[in-house]
Amino acid sequence: MPDLAKHPVPSLGAQGEPIRKNWWKRRPVLWGAAAAACVVGASAVLLWEPWVDRTPFTATIVSASADTYVRNGGHGRAGEQCTPNAAGETVVVFDKSGKRKLAEATTSRTGQRLPDSYGDFGGYCYEVTRVEGVPGGEGIYKIQTGGGTISSISEDDLRRTADELGQGFKKTRVPVDE
């Protein structure tokens, strides 16, 4: 009988199985492992960022240049073909650090003269460059044309259409040289 006092018989539940009270307090290793798994899982989701679209896309880069040449000489009328300043130059798309090259393309050798409705940019040569295979998900990209100055541009702007980007020239004023 003394052994029964040391080891009480557990009460039986509704299904006839013993009920173990406070079983979770006896498993600190189990709780530690479960907490570690949750932390690792949450970290993996945050680093992976499944909500970010990482599929490659075709970036659209537009430019408008004042010092252009119309094919037949002179300044020309709106809609006529013109030759942009950066005709035939290489456009390179870098990651946000500006160190890793992601894609490149060559600028068009022809553009279209903008009408007077574009305000300060009326008469400028408007050119569109499409850079294929740019990996998505960077957020900010660095762009360099012809080995010149590197500038930052958002992924949202690179994904816009040429028409949407061209409309921006209507609202923008040409900076005054000082």
Side-chain angles (χ1 to χ4, degrees), residues 3-159:
D3 287 336
L4 290 177
K6 288 182 185 176
H7 304 288
V9 177
S11 60
L12 297 178
Q15 302 296 327
E17 297 177 10
I19 298 174
R20 293 193 173 117
K21 295 180 182 177
N22 300 328
W23 63 271
W24 61 88
K25 291 182 182 178
R26 296 182 196 152
R27 308 275 192 249
V29 174
L30 177 67
W31 284 108
C38 288
V39 168
V40 168
S43 298
V45 167
L46 291 176
L47 290 175
W48 174 42
E49 297 177 328
W51 56 87
V52 175
D53 182 8
R54 297 189 190 285
T55 57
F57 66 97
T58 299
T60 304
I61 301 169
V62 298
S63 67
S65 54
D67 301 323
T68 59
Y69 307 98
V70 177
R71 287 191 174 208
N72 298 327
H75 288 288
R77 294 183 305 262
E80 284 186 340
Q81 285 191 344
C82 54
T83 304
N85 283 344
E89 296 284 338
T90 301
V91 175
V92 181
V93 178
F94 295 97
D95 65 350
K96 58 184 157 192
S97 71
K99 296 181 181 172
R100 187 171 56 108
K101 182 168 86 169
L102 301 175
E104 68 179 52
T106 304
T107 61
S108 174
R109 296 198 179 275
T110 60
Q112 296 292 321
R113 181 115 9 233
L114 291 173
D116 290 336
S117 63
Y118 279 77
D120 286 358
F121 286 97
Y124 277 44
C125 188
Y126 176 72
E127 181 264 329
V128 177
T129 302
R130 288 182 172 72
V131 184
E132 295 182 8
V134 177
E138 289 288 323
I140 299 292
Y141 294 83
K142 303 284 184 176
I143 306 293
Q144 183 180 35
T145 302
T149 305
I150 296 177
S151 58
S152 297
I153 189 166
S154 72
E155 183 171 345
D156 292 339
D157 287 339
L158 288 176
R159 288 182 180 263

